[in-house]
Amino acid sequence: TKNLVLTALALFVAATVSATKVPALNVIPMKNKKALVAFESDKPVQVELTLKSRKGEVLYSKQTDTPVTAMQTIFSFYNLQDGVYDVSLDLNSCKINREIQISNNHLKKVGAEERSFDPYCSFGNNLLKVSYLNPKQRNVQMYIYCDGQYLAGKKLGREMCIQKAFDFSNLENGHYKIVLSNPGEQYSFVFDK
């Protein structure tokens, strides 16, 4: 009976996962030095699509006014120099990125989807709780500011799943800003104590 229960549980999990469509960002080469960039999800979400150079320069940006389940845009590469660019999609607390390589104004390579998720922070009963999924296992730092003044910094580590709680009972009342940072990403959370 134990095997039957485990088998039933595995089938339930598989059915649940297949019933939920994971949001996807596709970059499909076209003729005439263009590419189709398409997003789809089974739940309506507000999204922002950007194309950035490696220097961080925003070359294209489009944001939806209302939640959508799909978006399609055609990128033209006529004016782009050879190099590597990032096509990114921000939705809710998730970011999907695909690295693309342009050569002679043509799309030569599309990298795999990389997903990152915003950290979860909450403050209550003098406790700051931080949860962060760190799939690339980058070195995560936390910086604490009170009323605009830097107070302290702390290394949170490189673990895949970071979950920490910090006691603020000995700190003064004020307006706090917490900044979580790793190479390439930065998030902030504010609260009053």
Side-chain angles (χ1 to χ4, degrees):
T1 59
K2 184 178 180 181
N3 287 339
L4 180 63
V5 170
L6 290 175
T7 303
L9 181 60
L11 288 173
F12 173 74
V13 169
T16 302
V17 170
S18 65
T20 304
K21 186 186 234 180
V22 176
L25 175 63
N26 297 303
V27 181
I28 304 161
M30 298 173 61
K31 294 179 182 179
N32 300 324
K33 303 177 183 181
K34 296 179 182 179
L36 173 66
V37 178
F39 158 76
E40 54 183 286
S41 170
D42 64 341
K43 293 183 180 178
V45 290
Q46 280 193 268
V47 298
E48 180 179 9
L49 177 67
T50 57
L51 174 66
K52 290 183 182 179
S53 70
R54 278 297 154 134
K55 295 177 185 176
E57 179 185 3
V58 177
L59 304 171
Y60 175 85
S61 179
K62 179 179 181 179
Q63 188 171 5
T64 61
D65 295 328
T66 58
V68 296
T69 57
M71 179 194 318
Q72 293 184 352
T73 300
I74 295 178
F75 283 168
S76 172
F77 302 122
Y78 278 107
N79 296 322
L80 291 185
Q81 296 179 354
D82 290 357
V84 178
Y85 296 84
D86 289 305
V87 178
S88 299
L89 190 72
D90 286 320
L91 56 143
N92 292 339
S93 60
C94 174
K95 183 176 184 176
I96 303 171
N97 189 72
R98 292 194 86 150
E99 188 178 273
I100 62 171
Q101 183 177 359
I102 305 299
S103 179
N104 295 322
N105 303 112
H106 290 282
L107 179 60
K108 293 295 182 187
K109 183 178 177 184
V110 179
E113 281 188 351
E114 293 181 1
R115 293 172 187 268
S116 59
F117 300 89
D118 293 351
Y120 171 79
C121 297
S122 68
F123 182 77
N125 297 325
N126 283 317
L127 278 180
L128 172 68
K129 296 178 184 176
V130 177
S131 294
Y132 180 55
L133 183 61
N134 188 18
K136 293 185 179 179
Q137 297 182 318
R138 292 178 171 159
N139 191 23
V140 179
Q141 304 279 340
M142 180 176 79
Y143 303 99
I144 303 170
Y145 300 86
C146 181
D147 296 325
Q149 299 293 315
Y150 172 79
L151 285 185
K154 176 145 179 75
K155 291 181 181 181
L156 298 185
R158 295 178 173 266
E159 291 83 24
M160 174 86 71
C161 185
I162 297 172
Q163 293 185 326
K164 307 275 185 186
F166 301 94
D167 184 1
F168 272 58
S169 60
N170 292 329
L171 296 179
E172 296 179 12
N173 291 340
H175 182 72
Y176 284 84
K177 179 178 181 180
I178 306 301
V179 176
L180 294 181
S181 178
N182 68 50
E185 297 173 319
Q186 184 170 303
Y187 306 94
S188 62
F189 173 70
V190 294
F191 64 92
D192 290 315
K193 175 181 182 298

